[in-house]
Amino acid sequence: MIPEPSLSVIVCAYTLDRWDDIQAAIASVRSQHRPADDIVLVVDHCPQLWRLARRSLSGIRVLPNLQRKGLSGARNTGVAAALGDVVAFLDDDAAAAPSWTQHLLAHYDDPRVVGVGGLVVANWHTGRPAWFPPEFDWVVGCSYRGLPQRSAPVRNFIGANMSFRRDELLAVGGFRTDLGRVGSRPLGCEETELCLRITAHHPDAVLLYEPAAAVRHHVPKARARWQYFGQRCYAEGLSKALVVQHSGSRAALASERTYLRSTIPRAFLRSVRPGRPAALRTLTALSAGVGATVAGYAMGRIRSVRSVGLGPPGPASPIGPVLRSSSDTGTGRVASR
């Protein structure tokens, strides 16, 4: 029988404004039925938050982001410092169900499984807007209608709830720091590019979606507005264009083709059923969401064509320096790898 792997949980944070959410996220990890072997909070270039977390959060390691500012660099810092065979990522504004780690780790007895991601449930602070289509819950970083209802292989995970074998992340160089969110800038797709790179490096690898491994993700009032919806869809298109630049359109857009051919048409049909509340506004949201995403993608492709003369994109950013001391909750002693 294959022994259960050890687990590190990495939470990345960047602002004091989420202090209550950060504490709740860490508390949810501490309350797991299967405790994590290691909990790491990485603070992304916010010294005030780093000092507060070091003073206030005991029993975990609090580290500064040692790489380029942004979520990707913070995650890479966490992976480099992690002690576990498996690293799981939880957003700083999400809270894991008590069985989260148990359901994630259950699939790693299969050596083909390189990563396991889970369900991200939207926790709307002001209630879900009547017009907001569930097929677009990815806009607020959550699982959307169209994903599998049971365990199944997928192309990529949602960043708020995912895990990987640490050795595989090290082997492919971690997250690209030229992709992804920096602060509140709504770009993304660094998880998609990473997953594509993993399967390119290891063609037999399985990335498994396990909806039983659930977390609840906060959705503040500001993200339930039309303006954010449009901005986030456009940014997703821009981000997808960058992924295509790095990975090629066939792999990078495979899930999007299925989404447009199947998920979105079904959403339109559901929206026009008699008695559907806010049907017209939902139809508008579906059309605007697809349109803004396509427009962002087109603009991103135009920019990439214009930059051809600058040479090909650089290699994926390295995972970065390793922290020697597993017990140090500060910056640690750093050595080059």
Side-chain angles (χ1 to χ4, degrees), residues 269-303:
L269 290 175
R270 273 190 291 268
S271 297
V272 297
R273 288 175 183 169
R276 165 90 178 172
L280 181 58
R281 286 188 291 163
T282 301
L283 287 169
T284 301
L286 288 167
S287 300
V290 171
T293 306
V294 171
Y297 175 76
M299 179 56 69
R301 293 299 291 155
I302 290 171
R303 290 177 181 176

Coordinates of all heavy atoms in Angstrom, one line a residue, residues 269-303:
L269 N -30.4 28.8 -23.5 CA -31.7 28.1 -23.5 C -32.4 28.1 -22.1 O -33.6 28.3 -22.0 CB -31.5 26.6 -23.9 CG -31.2 26.4 -25.4 CD1 -30.9 24.9 -25.6 CD2 -32.3 26.9 -26.3
R270 N -31.6 28.0 -21.0 CA -32.2 28.0 -19.7 C -32.7 29.4 -19.4 O -33.7 29.6 -18.7 CB -31.1 27.7 -18.6 CG -31.0 26.2 -18.3 CD -30.1 25.9 -17.1 NE -28.7 26.2 -17.5 CZ -27.9 25.3 -17.9 NH1 -28.3 24.1 -18.1 NH2 -26.6 25.6 -18.2
S271 N -32.0 30.4 -19.9 CA -32.4 31.8 -19.6 C -33.7 32.2 -20.2 O -34.4 33.2 -19.8 CB -31.3 32.8 -20.0 OG -30.1 32.5 -19.3
V272 N -34.1 31.6 -21.3 CA -35.3 32.0 -22.1 C -36.5 31.2 -21.6 O -37.6 31.4 -22.2 CB -35.1 31.9 -23.6 CG1 -34.0 32.9 -24.0 CG2 -34.8 30.5 -24.0
R273 N -36.4 30.3 -20.7 CA -37.5 29.6 -20.2 C -38.5 30.5 -19.5 O -38.1 31.4 -18.8 CB -37.1 28.5 -19.2 CG -36.3 27.3 -19.8 CD -35.8 26.4 -18.8 NE -35.0 25.3 -19.4 CZ -34.3 24.4 -18.7 NH1 -34.2 24.6 -17.3 NH2 -33.6 23.5 -19.3
P274 N -39.8 30.2 -19.7 CA -40.8 31.1 -19.1 C -40.7 31.1 -17.6 O -40.4 30.1 -16.9 CB -42.2 30.4 -19.5 CG -41.8 29.6 -20.7 CD -40.4 29.1 -20.5
G275 N -40.9 32.3 -17.0 CA -40.9 32.5 -15.6 C -39.5 32.7 -15.0 O -39.4 32.8 -13.8
R276 N -38.5 32.7 -15.8 CA -37.1 32.9 -15.4 C -37.0 34.3 -14.9 O -37.1 35.3 -15.7 CB -36.2 32.6 -16.5 CG -34.8 33.1 -16.3 CD -33.9 32.1 -15.6 NE -32.5 32.6 -15.5 CZ -31.6 31.9 -14.8 NH1 -31.9 30.8 -14.2 NH2 -30.4 32.4 -14.7
P277 N -36.6 34.6 -13.6 CA -36.4 35.9 -13.1 C -35.2 36.6 -13.8 O -34.2 35.9 -14.0 CB -36.2 35.8 -11.6 CG -35.7 34.4 -11.5 CD -36.4 33.6 -12.5
A278 N -35.3 37.9 -14.1 CA -34.2 38.6 -14.7 C -33.7 38.0 -16.0 O -32.5 38.1 -16.3 CB -33.1 38.8 -13.7
A279 N -34.5 37.4 -16.7 CA -34.1 36.6 -17.9 C -33.4 37.5 -18.9 O -32.3 37.2 -19.5 CB -35.3 36.0 -18.6
L280 N -33.9 38.7 -19.2 CA -33.3 39.6 -20.1 C -31.9 40.1 -19.7 O -31.0 40.1 -20.5 CB -34.2 40.8 -20.4 CG -33.7 41.9 -21.4 CD1 -33.5 41.2 -22.7 CD2 -34.7 43.0 -21.5
R281 N -31.8 40.4 -18.4 CA -30.5 40.8 -17.9 C -29.5 39.7 -17.9 O -28.3 39.9 -18.2 CB -30.6 41.4 -16.5 CG -31.3 42.8 -16.5 CD -31.2 43.4 -15.1 NE -32.1 42.6 -14.1 CZ -32.0 42.7 -12.8 NH1 -31.1 43.5 -12.3 NH2 -32.8 42.0 -12.0
T282 N -30.0 38.4 -17.7 CA -29.1 37.3 -17.7 C -28.6 37.0 -19.2 O -27.4 36.8 -19.4 CB -29.7 36.0 -17.2 OG1 -30.1 36.2 -15.8 CG2 -28.8 34.8 -17.3
L283 N -29.5 37.1 -20.1 CA -29.1 37.0 -21.5 C -28.1 38.1 -21.9 O -27.2 37.8 -22.7 CB -30.4 37.1 -22.4 CG -31.3 35.9 -22.4 CD1 -32.6 36.2 -23.1 CD2 -30.6 34.7 -23.0
T284 N -28.4 39.3 -21.4 CA -27.4 40.4 -21.7 C -26.0 40.1 -21.1 O -25.0 40.3 -21.7 CB -27.9 41.7 -21.1 OG1 -29.2 42.0 -21.7 CG2 -27.0 42.8 -21.4
A285 N -26.0 39.5 -19.9 CA -24.8 39.2 -19.2 C -24.0 38.1 -20.0 O -22.8 38.2 -20.2 CB -25.0 38.7 -17.8
L286 N -24.8 37.1 -20.5 CA -24.1 36.0 -21.2 C -23.5 36.6 -22.5 O -22.4 36.2 -22.9 CB -25.2 34.9 -21.6 CG -25.7 34.1 -20.4 CD1 -26.9 33.3 -20.9 CD2 -24.5 33.1 -20.0
S287 N -24.3 37.4 -23.2 CA -23.8 38.0 -24.5 C -22.6 38.9 -24.2 O -21.6 38.8 -24.9 CB -24.9 38.8 -25.2 OG -26.0 37.9 -25.5
A288 N -22.7 39.8 -23.2 CA -21.6 40.7 -22.9 C -20.4 40.0 -22.4 O -19.3 40.4 -22.7 CB -22.1 41.7 -21.8
G289 N -20.6 38.9 -21.6 CA -19.5 38.2 -21.1 C -18.7 37.5 -22.2 O -17.4 37.6 -22.2
V290 N -19.4 36.9 -23.1 CA -18.7 36.2 -24.2 C -18.0 37.3 -25.1 O -16.8 37.2 -25.5 CB -19.7 35.4 -25.1 CG1 -19.0 34.9 -26.4 CG2 -20.2 34.2 -24.3
G291 N -18.7 38.4 -25.4 CA -18.2 39.4 -26.2 C -16.9 40.1 -25.7 O -16.0 40.3 -26.4
A292 N -17.0 40.4 -24.3 CA -15.8 41.0 -23.7 C -14.6 40.1 -23.7 O -13.5 40.5 -23.9 CB -16.2 41.5 -22.3
T293 N -14.9 38.8 -23.4 CA -13.8 37.9 -23.4 C -13.1 37.7 -24.8 O -11.9 37.7 -24.9 CB -14.3 36.5 -22.9 OG1 -14.9 36.7 -21.6 CG2 -13.1 35.5 -22.7
V294 N -14.0 37.6 -25.8 CA -13.4 37.5 -27.2 C -12.7 38.8 -27.5 O -11.6 38.7 -28.2 CB -14.6 37.2 -28.1 CG1 -14.1 37.3 -29.6 CG2 -15.2 35.8 -27.9
A295 N -13.2 39.9 -27.1 CA -12.5 41.2 -27.5 C -11.2 41.3 -26.8 O -10.2 41.7 -27.4 CB -13.4 42.4 -27.0
G296 N -11.1 40.8 -25.5 CA -9.8 40.8 -24.8 C -8.8 39.9 -25.4 O -7.7 40.2 -25.6
Y297 N -9.3 38.7 -25.9 CA -8.4 37.8 -26.5 C -7.9 38.3 -27.8 O -6.7 38.2 -28.1 CB -9.2 36.5 -26.8 CG -8.4 35.4 -27.6 CD1 -7.4 34.7 -26.9 CD2 -8.6 35.2 -28.9 CE1 -6.6 33.8 -27.6 CE2 -7.9 34.3 -29.6 CZ -6.9 33.6 -29.0 OH -6.1 32.7 -29.7
A298 N -8.8 38.9 -28.6 CA -8.4 39.5 -29.9 C -7.3 40.6 -29.7 O -6.3 40.7 -30.4 CB -9.6 40.1 -30.6
M299 N -7.5 41.5 -28.7 CA -6.6 42.5 -28.4 C -5.2 41.9 -27.9 O -4.2 42.4 -28.3 CB -7.1 43.5 -27.3 CG -6.1 44.6 -26.9 SD -5.6 45.6 -28.3 CE -7.2 46.4 -28.7
G300 N -5.3 40.9 -27.1 CA -4.1 40.2 -26.7 C -3.3 39.6 -27.8 O -2.1 39.6 -27.8
R301 N -4.0 39.0 -28.8 CA -3.3 38.4 -29.9 C -2.7 39.5 -30.8 O -1.6 39.3 -31.3 CB -4.3 37.6 -30.7 CG -4.8 36.3 -30.0 CD -3.7 35.4 -29.6 NE -3.1 34.7 -30.8 CZ -1.9 34.3 -30.9 NH1 -1.1 34.4 -29.8 NH2 -1.4 33.7 -32.0
I302 N -3.4 40.6 -30.9 CA -2.8 41.7 -31.7 C -1.5 42.2 -31.1 O -0.5 42.4 -31.7 CB -3.8 42.9 -31.8 CG1 -5.0 42.4 -32.8 CG2 -3.2 44.1 -32.4 CD1 -6.2 43.4 -32.7
R303 N -1.6 42.3 -29.7 CA -0.4 42.8 -29.0 C 0.8 41.8 -29.2 O 1.9 42.2 -29.3 CB -0.7 43.0 -27.6 CG -1.6 44.2 -27.3 CD -1.9 44.2 -25.8 NE -2.8 45.3 -25.4 CZ -3.3 45.5 -24.2 NH1 -3.0 44.7 -23.2 NH2 -4.1 46.5 -24.0

